[in-house]
């Protein structure tokens, strides 16, 4: 049974908590928001990253809910075209909102993305998802009155979490660690899981390991730059093989100091490669690049190499049906060469409640590069989840 060590500190980075995994490995957690918030979003980071990889996105979300969350609804009673006061459409009519939200689609065409369910604005005033009101009058006060709580944590072997035996560095073990975090930090109430890269894979594994939680506790999912299988078939993963990964892990175990020294010496060679792999085709903020590089450099070689074996054999394609039709966001960059966008297309095609988003020119670290746009889509996901929960009744929203 997991337990919480009393180690909380209210600071800019949130409340710090240490959760004990089932095998005793300490998992470092940070939370933002009230413990009794009606909805919690749990963020699951990628390979060789850590909690800080969400910092740009987290700040954007805090701004979004800080300005919009005070109102009873998304547009604060205004007509859609007047919604610039809330910041959503920046003074544009809905049909002009191709800057992000509807990807160039008019409202009547946006049903495929999930949000307006094929209704035009004029049709949305009638019975249905919008409760007989105009779009600006959607009553989500029960949930928007208090901003969603956000939970971030470091995987074992990453960031501030503890190291463990390399045999436990697997996607399945991370799924169990996620359950320990949820059990301890979010014991009740609805949860949205948002995972990036390996984190997206962990959320898929979680749906297999804990199927009873899907649709009751887990009411929404976000898969950012993720895949269900086939990582060695396209993209940079083609350079990996089981033999190469096993050789690397053996070398790290037998000569850790030598390998660590080699890592330092090769930094100048690999940092530009990593930058190209993780960032897209547009000019990227230098601070952002530096943060991404620092997280990769700080990840122990044993952690880096041990998880590769689990990644190259990863296959959770059979788990996708377990997610049913809960609201889902599948988002990736068009310039991602680590996990190419084709993986996201496959994911979305298997998820009945998904919205597929392609951000042009963005690379694998799309949540760092395009934090503002990604945040907008996550807020959209939250609103879709709230509407879905209202339609299912109170038991759906409060299952524990």
């Amino acid at each position: 049974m997991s337990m919480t060590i009393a180690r909380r500190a209210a600071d800019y980075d949130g409340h710090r908590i240490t959760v004990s995994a089932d095998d005793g490995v300490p998992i470092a957690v940070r939370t933002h928001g009230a413990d009794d918030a009606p909805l919690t979003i749990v963020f699951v980071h990628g390979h060789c990253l850590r909690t800080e990889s969400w910092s740009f996105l987290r700040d954007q979300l805090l701004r979004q809910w800080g300005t919009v969350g005070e109102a009873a609804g998304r547009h604060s009673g205004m007509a859609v075209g007047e919604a610039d006061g809330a910041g959503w459409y920046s003074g544009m009519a809905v049909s002009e909102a191709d800057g992000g939200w509807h990807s160039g689609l008019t409202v009547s065409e946006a049903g495929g993305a999930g949000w307006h369910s094929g209704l035009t604005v004029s049709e949305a005033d009638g019975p249905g998802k919008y409760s007989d009101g105009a779009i600006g009058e959607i009553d989500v006060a029960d949930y928007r009155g208090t901003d969603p709580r956000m939970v971030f944590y470091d995987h074992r072997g990453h960031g501030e979490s503890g190291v463990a035996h390399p045999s436990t560095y697997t996607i399945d073990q991370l799924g169990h660690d996620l359950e320990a975090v949820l059990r301890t930090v979010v014991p009740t109430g609805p949860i949205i899981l948002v995972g990036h890269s390996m984190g997206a894979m962990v959320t898929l594994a979680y749906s297999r390991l804990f199927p009873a939680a899907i649709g009751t506790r887990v009411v929404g999912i976000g898969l950012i730059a993720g895949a269900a299988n086939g990582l060695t078939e396209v993209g940079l993963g083609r350079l990996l093989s089981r033999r190469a990964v096993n050789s690397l892990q053996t070398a790290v175990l037998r000569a850790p100091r030598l390998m660590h020294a080699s890592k330092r010496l090769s930094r100048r060679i690999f940092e530009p490669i990593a930058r190209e792999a993780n960032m897209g085709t547009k000019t990227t903020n230098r601070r952002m690049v530096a943060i991404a590089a620092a997280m990769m450099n700080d990840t122990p070689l044993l952690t880096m190499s041990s998880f590769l074996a689990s990644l190259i054999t990863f296959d959770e394609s059979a788990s996708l049906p377990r997610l049913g039709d809960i609201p889902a966001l599948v988002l990736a960059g068009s310039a991602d060469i680590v996990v190419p966008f084709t993986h996201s297309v496959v994911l979305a095609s298997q998820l009945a409640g998904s919205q597929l988003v392609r951000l042009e020119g963005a690379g694998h670290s799309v949540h760092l590069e395009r934090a503002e746009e990604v945040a907008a889509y996550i807020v959209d996901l939250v609103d879709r989840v709230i509407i879905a929960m209202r339609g299912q009744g109170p038991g759906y929203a409060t299952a524990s």
Side-chain angles (χ1 to χ4, degrees), residues 264-321:
R264 290 200 305 269
L265 291 173
S266 61
R267 235 174 234 174
R268 292 185 181 181
I269 298 173
F270 288 112
E271 276 189 7
I273 297 175
R275 182 169 59 249
E276 291 298 320
N278 286 282
M279 303 301 171
T281 58
K282 297 183 178 180
T283 302
T284 305
N285 182 295
R286 289 184 177 180
R287 177 170 169 261
M288 192 181 300
V289 174
I291 290 174
M295 285 186 285
M296 294 187 71
N297 288 331
D298 288 345
T299 304
L301 265 175
L302 186 58
T303 297
M304 184 184 300
S305 61
S306 297
F307 274 110
L308 287 177
S310 186
L311 287 170
I312 65 175
T313 59
F314 178 79
D315 187 348
E316 288 290 349
S317 52
S319 299
L320 295 175

Short mmCIF file of all heavy atoms in Angstrom, two decimals, residues 264-321:
data_model
loop_
_atom_site.label_atom_id
_atom_site.label_comp_id
_atom_site.label_asym_id
_atom_site.label_seq_id
_atom_site.Cartn_x
_atom_site.Cartn_y
_atom_site.Cartn_z
N ARG A 264 29.71 12.38 -21.28
CA ARG A 264 30.10 13.79 -21.17
C ARG A 264 30.88 14.23 -22.40
O ARG A 264 30.66 15.32 -22.92
CB ARG A 264 30.95 14.00 -19.91
CG ARG A 264 30.18 13.87 -18.61
CD ARG A 264 30.95 14.55 -17.48
NE ARG A 264 32.30 14.04 -17.36
CZ ARG A 264 32.65 13.03 -16.59
NH1 ARG A 264 31.73 12.40 -15.87
NH2 ARG A 264 33.90 12.62 -16.51
N LEU A 265 31.79 13.37 -22.86
CA LEU A 265 32.61 13.72 -24.02
C LEU A 265 31.79 13.82 -25.30
O LEU A 265 32.12 14.61 -26.20
CB LEU A 265 33.73 12.68 -24.19
CG LEU A 265 34.82 12.69 -23.12
CD1 LEU A 265 35.75 11.49 -23.31
CD2 LEU A 265 35.62 13.99 -23.15
N SER A 266 30.75 13.01 -25.38
CA SER A 266 29.95 12.99 -26.61
C SER A 266 28.82 14.01 -26.62
O SER A 266 28.08 14.11 -27.58
CB SER A 266 29.36 11.59 -26.82
OG SER A 266 28.51 11.24 -25.75
N ARG A 267 28.69 14.79 -25.55
CA ARG A 267 27.60 15.74 -25.46
C ARG A 267 27.58 16.71 -26.63
O ARG A 267 26.52 17.01 -27.18
CB ARG A 267 27.74 16.52 -24.15
CG ARG A 267 26.50 16.44 -23.29
CD ARG A 267 26.73 17.09 -21.94
NE ARG A 267 26.40 16.18 -20.87
CZ ARG A 267 26.61 16.44 -19.59
NH1 ARG A 267 27.18 17.55 -19.24
NH2 ARG A 267 26.26 15.57 -18.68
N ARG A 268 28.76 17.19 -27.01
CA ARG A 268 28.81 18.18 -28.10
C ARG A 268 28.33 17.58 -29.41
O ARG A 268 27.84 18.30 -30.28
CB ARG A 268 30.24 18.71 -28.25
CG ARG A 268 30.69 19.56 -27.07
CD ARG A 268 32.06 20.15 -27.34
NE ARG A 268 32.52 20.96 -26.22
CZ ARG A 268 33.68 21.60 -26.19
NH1 ARG A 268 34.52 21.52 -27.23
NH2 ARG A 268 34.01 22.32 -25.14
N ILE A 269 28.48 16.27 -29.54
CA ILE A 269 28.04 15.61 -30.77
C ILE A 269 26.54 15.36 -30.72
O ILE A 269 25.81 15.62 -31.68
CB ILE A 269 28.79 14.28 -30.97
CG1 ILE A 269 30.29 14.54 -31.12
CG2 ILE A 269 28.24 13.52 -32.19
CD1 ILE A 269 31.11 13.26 -31.15
N PHE A 270 26.06 14.86 -29.56
CA PHE A 270 24.68 14.41 -29.49
C PHE A 270 23.67 15.51 -29.20
O PHE A 270 22.49 15.38 -29.55
CB PHE A 270 24.54 13.31 -28.44
CG PHE A 270 25.15 12.01 -28.87
CD1 PHE A 270 26.28 11.50 -28.26
CD2 PHE A 270 24.59 11.29 -29.93
CE1 PHE A 270 26.84 10.30 -28.67
CE2 PHE A 270 25.14 10.09 -30.35
CZ PHE A 270 26.28 9.60 -29.72
N GLU A 271 24.10 16.61 -28.56
CA GLU A 271 23.15 17.68 -28.25
C GLU A 271 22.50 18.26 -29.50
O GLU A 271 21.28 18.46 -29.54
CB GLU A 271 23.80 18.78 -27.41
CG GLU A 271 23.81 18.44 -25.93
CD GLU A 271 24.25 19.62 -25.08
OE1 GLU A 271 24.42 20.73 -25.63
OE2 GLU A 271 24.43 19.42 -23.87
N PRO A 272 23.27 18.57 -30.56
CA PRO A 272 22.61 19.07 -31.79
C PRO A 272 21.65 18.05 -32.37
O PRO A 272 20.59 18.41 -32.89
CB PRO A 272 23.79 19.33 -32.74
CG PRO A 272 24.96 19.53 -31.85
CD PRO A 272 24.74 18.59 -30.70
N ILE A 273 22.00 16.75 -32.30
CA ILE A 273 21.11 15.70 -32.82
C ILE A 273 19.83 15.67 -32.00
O ILE A 273 18.72 15.60 -32.54
CB ILE A 273 21.82 14.34 -32.77
CG1 ILE A 273 23.03 14.35 -33.70
CG2 ILE A 273 20.85 13.22 -33.17
CD1 ILE A 273 23.87 13.09 -33.63
N ALA A 274 19.99 15.73 -30.68
CA ALA A 274 18.82 15.71 -29.80
C ALA A 274 17.94 16.93 -30.05
O ALA A 274 16.71 16.83 -30.05
CB ALA A 274 19.25 15.67 -28.34
N ARG A 275 18.57 18.08 -30.28
CA ARG A 275 17.80 19.29 -30.55
C ARG A 275 16.99 19.14 -31.82
O ARG A 275 15.81 19.49 -31.88
CB ARG A 275 18.73 20.50 -30.65
CG ARG A 275 17.98 21.81 -30.88
CD ARG A 275 18.88 23.03 -30.72
NE ARG A 275 20.01 23.01 -31.64
CZ ARG A 275 21.26 22.83 -31.29
NH1 ARG A 275 21.57 22.64 -30.01
NH2 ARG A 275 22.24 22.84 -32.17
N GLU A 276 17.60 18.61 -32.86
CA GLU A 276 16.89 18.41 -34.12
C GLU A 276 15.77 17.39 -33.97
O GLU A 276 14.70 17.52 -34.58
CB GLU A 276 17.87 17.94 -35.22
CG GLU A 276 18.86 19.00 -35.65
CD GLU A 276 18.18 20.22 -36.26
OE1 GLU A 276 17.21 20.05 -37.02
OE2 GLU A 276 18.60 21.36 -35.95
N ALA A 277 16.00 16.37 -33.16
CA ALA A 277 15.00 15.33 -32.99
C ALA A 277 13.80 15.83 -32.21
O ALA A 277 12.66 15.45 -32.50
CB ALA A 277 15.62 14.13 -32.28
N ASN A 278 14.04 16.67 -31.21
CA ASN A 278 12.96 17.06 -30.31
C ASN A 278 12.27 18.35 -30.70
O ASN A 278 11.13 18.58 -30.32
CB ASN A 278 13.49 17.18 -28.87
CG ASN A 278 13.73 15.83 -28.25
OD1 ASN A 278 12.80 15.17 -27.82
ND2 ASN A 278 14.98 15.40 -28.22
N MET A 279 12.95 19.22 -31.43
CA MET A 279 12.36 20.48 -31.84
C MET A 279 12.01 20.44 -33.32
O MET A 279 12.59 19.70 -34.09
CB MET A 279 13.33 21.65 -31.55
CG MET A 279 13.74 21.73 -30.09
SD MET A 279 12.32 21.94 -28.96
CE MET A 279 13.10 21.73 -27.36
N GLY A 280 11.06 21.25 -33.71
CA GLY A 280 10.57 21.22 -35.07
C GLY A 280 11.33 22.12 -36.02
O GLY A 280 12.51 22.42 -35.82
N THR A 281 10.62 22.56 -37.06
CA THR A 281 11.26 23.31 -38.14
C THR A 281 11.34 24.79 -37.89
O THR A 281 12.04 25.51 -38.60
CB THR A 281 10.49 23.07 -39.45
OG1 THR A 281 9.13 23.48 -39.28
CG2 THR A 281 10.52 21.60 -39.83
N LYS A 282 10.60 25.29 -36.89
CA LYS A 282 10.59 26.73 -36.61
C LYS A 282 11.66 27.08 -35.58
O LYS A 282 12.15 26.23 -34.84
CB LYS A 282 9.21 27.17 -36.11
CG LYS A 282 8.11 26.96 -37.16
CD LYS A 282 6.79 27.47 -36.64
CE LYS A 282 5.70 27.30 -37.70
NZ LYS A 282 4.38 27.81 -37.24
N THR A 283 12.02 28.37 -35.54
CA THR A 283 13.00 28.84 -34.56
C THR A 283 12.45 28.62 -33.16
O THR A 283 11.31 28.96 -32.85
CB THR A 283 13.30 30.33 -34.76
OG1 THR A 283 13.78 30.53 -36.09
CG2 THR A 283 14.34 30.81 -33.76
N THR A 284 13.27 28.04 -32.30
CA THR A 284 12.83 27.68 -30.95
C THR A 284 13.57 28.51 -29.91
O THR A 284 14.76 28.79 -30.05
CB THR A 284 13.09 26.19 -30.69
OG1 THR A 284 12.46 25.42 -31.71
CG2 THR A 284 12.51 25.76 -29.36
N ASN A 285 12.84 28.91 -28.88
CA ASN A 285 13.41 29.66 -27.78
C ASN A 285 14.64 28.95 -27.21
O ASN A 285 14.59 27.76 -26.90
CB ASN A 285 12.32 29.81 -26.70
CG ASN A 285 12.78 30.63 -25.52
OD1 ASN A 285 13.68 30.24 -24.79
ND2 ASN A 285 12.14 31.77 -25.32
N ARG A 286 15.76 29.68 -27.08
CA ARG A 286 17.01 29.07 -26.60
C ARG A 286 16.87 28.50 -25.20
O ARG A 286 17.46 27.47 -24.88
CB ARG A 286 18.14 30.11 -26.63
CG ARG A 286 18.59 30.49 -28.03
CD ARG A 286 19.78 31.43 -27.97
NE ARG A 286 20.27 31.76 -29.31
CZ ARG A 286 21.31 32.57 -29.54
NH1 ARG A 286 21.97 33.10 -28.52
NH2 ARG A 286 21.68 32.83 -30.77
N ARG A 287 16.11 29.19 -24.37
CA ARG A 287 15.91 28.70 -23.00
C ARG A 287 15.19 27.36 -23.02
O ARG A 287 15.51 26.46 -22.24
CB ARG A 287 15.11 29.72 -22.20
CG ARG A 287 14.77 29.27 -20.78
CD ARG A 287 14.20 30.42 -19.97
NE ARG A 287 13.65 29.95 -18.72
CZ ARG A 287 12.36 29.71 -18.50
NH1 ARG A 287 11.51 29.90 -19.49
NH2 ARG A 287 11.93 29.31 -17.34
N MET A 288 14.24 27.23 -23.92
CA MET A 288 13.49 25.98 -24.05
C MET A 288 14.42 24.84 -24.46
O MET A 288 14.36 23.74 -23.91
CB MET A 288 12.39 26.17 -25.10
CG MET A 288 11.36 25.10 -25.16
SD MET A 288 10.16 25.47 -26.45
CE MET A 288 9.52 27.04 -25.86
N VAL A 289 15.29 25.11 -25.44
CA VAL A 289 16.24 24.10 -25.90
C VAL A 289 17.20 23.72 -24.77
O VAL A 289 17.51 22.54 -24.57
CB VAL A 289 17.03 24.62 -27.12
CG1 VAL A 289 18.13 23.63 -27.51
CG2 VAL A 289 16.10 24.86 -28.30
N ALA A 290 17.63 24.72 -24.02
CA ALA A 290 18.57 24.47 -22.92
C ALA A 290 17.93 23.60 -21.84
O ALA A 290 18.57 22.69 -21.29
CB ALA A 290 19.04 25.79 -22.31
N ILE A 291 16.66 23.85 -21.54
CA ILE A 291 15.95 23.06 -20.53
C ILE A 291 15.83 21.62 -20.98
O ILE A 291 16.09 20.68 -20.21
CB ILE A 291 14.56 23.67 -20.25
CG1 ILE A 291 14.71 25.00 -19.51
CG2 ILE A 291 13.70 22.70 -19.44
CD1 ILE A 291 13.41 25.74 -19.31
N ALA A 292 15.45 21.42 -22.24
CA ALA A 292 15.30 20.06 -22.77
C ALA A 292 16.63 19.31 -22.74
O ALA A 292 16.70 18.14 -22.35
CB ALA A 292 14.74 20.10 -24.19
N ALA A 293 17.71 20.00 -23.15
CA ALA A 293 19.03 19.37 -23.16
C ALA A 293 19.49 19.03 -21.75
O ALA A 293 20.07 17.96 -21.51
CB ALA A 293 20.04 20.30 -23.83
N ALA A 294 19.22 19.93 -20.80
CA ALA A 294 19.65 19.70 -19.41
C ALA A 294 18.95 18.49 -18.82
O ALA A 294 19.56 17.67 -18.12
CB ALA A 294 19.35 20.93 -18.57
N MET A 295 17.66 18.33 -19.10
CA MET A 295 16.93 17.17 -18.58
C MET A 295 17.48 15.87 -19.14
O MET A 295 17.63 14.88 -18.42
CB MET A 295 15.44 17.31 -18.91
CG MET A 295 14.71 18.32 -18.05
SD MET A 295 12.92 18.35 -18.32
CE MET A 295 12.81 19.20 -19.88
N MET A 296 17.81 15.86 -20.43
CA MET A 296 18.36 14.65 -21.03
C MET A 296 19.74 14.34 -20.48
O MET A 296 20.07 13.19 -20.19
CB MET A 296 18.42 14.81 -22.54
CG MET A 296 17.04 14.91 -23.20
SD MET A 296 17.12 14.89 -24.99
CE MET A 296 17.60 13.19 -25.28
N ASN A 297 20.55 15.38 -20.31
CA ASN A 297 21.91 15.19 -19.80
C ASN A 297 21.93 14.73 -18.34
O ASN A 297 22.84 14.01 -17.92
CB ASN A 297 22.72 16.48 -19.93
CG ASN A 297 23.09 16.78 -21.37
OD1 ASN A 297 23.25 15.87 -22.18
ND2 ASN A 297 23.23 18.05 -21.70
N ASP A 298 20.91 15.16 -17.57
CA ASP A 298 20.86 14.80 -16.16
C ASP A 298 20.29 13.40 -15.92
O ASP A 298 20.36 12.89 -14.81
CB ASP A 298 20.00 15.81 -15.39
CG ASP A 298 20.71 17.15 -15.24
OD1 ASP A 298 21.94 17.19 -15.46
OD2 ASP A 298 20.04 18.15 -14.92
N THR A 299 19.72 12.80 -16.94
CA THR A 299 19.16 11.46 -16.77
C THR A 299 20.28 10.43 -16.73
O THR A 299 21.12 10.38 -17.62
CB THR A 299 18.21 11.12 -17.94
OG1 THR A 299 17.19 12.12 -18.02
CG2 THR A 299 17.57 9.76 -17.73
N PRO A 300 20.33 9.61 -15.69
CA PRO A 300 21.40 8.59 -15.60
C PRO A 300 21.40 7.67 -16.82
O PRO A 300 20.34 7.32 -17.36
CB PRO A 300 21.04 7.82 -14.32
CG PRO A 300 20.22 8.78 -13.51
CD PRO A 300 19.44 9.57 -14.52
N LEU A 301 22.59 7.29 -17.24
CA LEU A 301 22.72 6.39 -18.39
C LEU A 301 22.00 5.06 -18.17
O LEU A 301 21.43 4.48 -19.10
CB LEU A 301 24.19 6.13 -18.69
CG LEU A 301 24.84 7.02 -19.76
CD1 LEU A 301 26.33 6.70 -19.85
CD2 LEU A 301 24.18 6.82 -21.11
N LEU A 302 22.02 4.57 -16.94
CA LEU A 302 21.36 3.31 -16.65
C LEU A 302 19.85 3.43 -16.87
O LEU A 302 19.21 2.52 -17.41
CB LEU A 302 21.65 2.87 -15.21
CG LEU A 302 21.14 1.47 -14.82
CD1 LEU A 302 21.72 0.40 -15.75
CD2 LEU A 302 21.47 1.17 -13.37
N THR A 303 19.28 4.56 -16.46
CA THR A 303 17.85 4.82 -16.70
C THR A 303 17.57 4.88 -18.19
O THR A 303 16.64 4.25 -18.70
CB THR A 303 17.42 6.14 -16.03
OG1 THR A 303 17.59 6.03 -14.62
CG2 THR A 303 15.97 6.46 -16.35
N MET A 304 18.39 5.66 -18.88
CA MET A 304 18.20 5.85 -20.31
C MET A 304 18.25 4.53 -21.07
O MET A 304 17.37 4.22 -21.89
CB MET A 304 19.29 6.80 -20.85
CG MET A 304 19.16 7.17 -22.30
SD MET A 304 20.56 8.20 -22.86
CE MET A 304 20.41 9.60 -21.75
N SER A 305 19.25 3.72 -20.79
CA SER A 305 19.45 2.48 -21.53
C SER A 305 18.44 1.40 -21.13
O SER A 305 17.97 0.64 -21.98
CB SER A 305 20.87 1.97 -21.34
OG SER A 305 21.13 1.69 -19.97
N SER A 306 18.09 1.34 -19.86
CA SER A 306 17.23 0.26 -19.37
C SER A 306 15.81 0.38 -19.91
O SER A 306 15.16 -0.63 -20.21
CB SER A 306 17.21 0.24 -17.85
OG SER A 306 18.50 -0.04 -17.33
N PHE A 307 15.31 1.60 -20.04
CA PHE A 307 13.95 1.77 -20.55
C PHE A 307 13.85 1.50 -22.05
O PHE A 307 12.76 1.21 -22.56
CB PHE A 307 13.42 3.17 -20.24
CG PHE A 307 12.80 3.29 -18.88
CD1 PHE A 307 13.43 4.03 -17.89
CD2 PHE A 307 11.60 2.68 -18.59
CE1 PHE A 307 12.86 4.14 -16.63
CE2 PHE A 307 11.02 2.78 -17.35
CZ PHE A 307 11.65 3.52 -16.36
N LEU A 308 14.96 1.58 -22.76
CA LEU A 308 14.93 1.36 -24.21
C LEU A 308 14.42 -0.03 -24.57
O LEU A 308 13.69 -0.20 -25.55
CB LEU A 308 16.32 1.58 -24.82
CG LEU A 308 16.80 3.02 -24.91
CD1 LEU A 308 18.22 3.06 -25.47
CD2 LEU A 308 15.87 3.85 -25.78
N ALA A 309 14.79 -1.04 -23.78
CA ALA A 309 14.35 -2.40 -24.07
C ALA A 309 12.84 -2.51 -24.02
O ALA A 309 12.22 -3.19 -24.85
CB ALA A 309 14.99 -3.37 -23.08
N SER A 310 12.22 -1.83 -23.06
CA SER A 310 10.77 -1.86 -22.94
C SER A 310 10.11 -1.06 -24.07
O SER A 310 9.04 -1.43 -24.56
CB SER A 310 10.34 -1.29 -21.59
OG SER A 310 8.96 -1.44 -21.37
N LEU A 311 10.77 0.01 -24.48
CA LEU A 311 10.20 0.86 -25.53
C LEU A 311 10.18 0.18 -26.89
O LEU A 311 9.20 0.28 -27.63
CB LEU A 311 10.98 2.18 -25.62
CG LEU A 311 10.74 3.17 -24.47
CD1 LEU A 311 11.74 4.32 -24.55
CD2 LEU A 311 9.32 3.71 -24.50
N ILE A 312 11.27 -0.52 -27.24
CA ILE A 312 11.34 -1.10 -28.58
C ILE A 312 10.41 -2.30 -28.75
O ILE A 312 10.06 -2.66 -29.87
CB ILE A 312 12.79 -1.49 -28.97
CG1 ILE A 312 13.31 -2.61 -28.07
CG2 ILE A 312 13.70 -0.28 -28.94
CD1 ILE A 312 14.69 -3.11 -28.50
N THR A 313 9.99 -2.89 -27.64
CA THR A 313 9.06 -4.03 -27.73
C THR A 313 7.63 -3.62 -27.38
O THR A 313 6.73 -4.46 -27.33
CB THR A 313 9.49 -5.16 -26.79
OG1 THR A 313 9.53 -4.68 -25.44
CG2 THR A 313 10.87 -5.68 -27.18
N PHE A 314 7.42 -2.34 -27.15
CA PHE A 314 6.12 -1.84 -26.68
C PHE A 314 5.02 -2.10 -27.71
O PHE A 314 5.17 -1.79 -28.89
CB PHE A 314 6.23 -0.34 -26.41
CG PHE A 314 4.94 0.30 -25.97
CD1 PHE A 314 4.51 0.18 -24.66
CD2 PHE A 314 4.15 1.02 -26.86
CE1 PHE A 314 3.33 0.77 -24.24
CE2 PHE A 314 2.98 1.61 -26.45
CZ PHE A 314 2.56 1.48 -25.14
N ASP A 315 3.91 -2.65 -27.25
CA ASP A 315 2.75 -2.87 -28.11
C ASP A 315 1.50 -2.89 -27.25
O ASP A 315 1.22 -3.87 -26.55
CB ASP A 315 2.88 -4.17 -28.90
CG ASP A 315 1.77 -4.34 -29.94
OD1 ASP A 315 0.80 -3.57 -29.90
OD2 ASP A 315 1.88 -5.25 -30.78
N GLU A 316 0.75 -1.80 -27.27
CA GLU A 316 -0.50 -1.71 -26.53
C GLU A 316 -1.67 -1.47 -27.48
O GLU A 316 -2.69 -0.90 -27.09
CB GLU A 316 -0.44 -0.58 -25.49
CG GLU A 316 0.45 -0.86 -24.29
CD GLU A 316 -0.11 -1.93 -23.36
OE1 GLU A 316 -1.30 -2.29 -23.52
OE2 GLU A 316 0.62 -2.40 -22.47
N SER A 317 -1.52 -1.91 -28.74
CA SER A 317 -2.58 -1.70 -29.71
C SER A 317 -3.88 -2.38 -29.26
O SER A 317 -4.98 -1.88 -29.53
CB SER A 317 -2.16 -2.21 -31.09
OG SER A 317 -1.69 -3.55 -31.02
N ALA A 318 -3.76 -3.50 -28.56
CA ALA A 318 -4.95 -4.21 -28.09
C ALA A 318 -5.63 -3.49 -26.94
O ALA A 318 -6.78 -3.80 -26.60
CB ALA A 318 -4.58 -5.63 -27.66
N SER A 319 -4.93 -2.52 -26.34
CA SER A 319 -5.49 -1.79 -25.20
C SER A 319 -6.39 -0.64 -25.62
O SER A 319 -7.19 -0.13 -24.82
CB SER A 319 -4.38 -1.24 -24.30
OG SER A 319 -3.59 -2.29 -23.78
N LEU A 320 -6.26 -0.19 -26.87
CA LEU A 320 -7.02 0.98 -27.31
C LEU A 320 -8.53 0.82 -27.16
O LEU A 320 -9.20 1.76 -26.70
CB LEU A 320 -6.65 1.33 -28.75
CG LEU A 320 -5.20 1.77 -28.96
CD1 LEU A 320 -4.91 1.98 -30.44
CD2 LEU A 320 -4.90 3.04 -28.18
N PRO A 321 -9.10 -0.35 -27.50
CA PRO A 321 -10.55 -0.50 -27.31
C PRO A 321 -11.00 -0.35 -25.85
O PRO A 321 -12.16 -0.04 -25.59
CB PRO A 321 -10.83 -1.91 -27.84
CG PRO A 321 -9.72 -2.18 -28.81
CD PRO A 321 -8.53 -1.52 -28.20
#
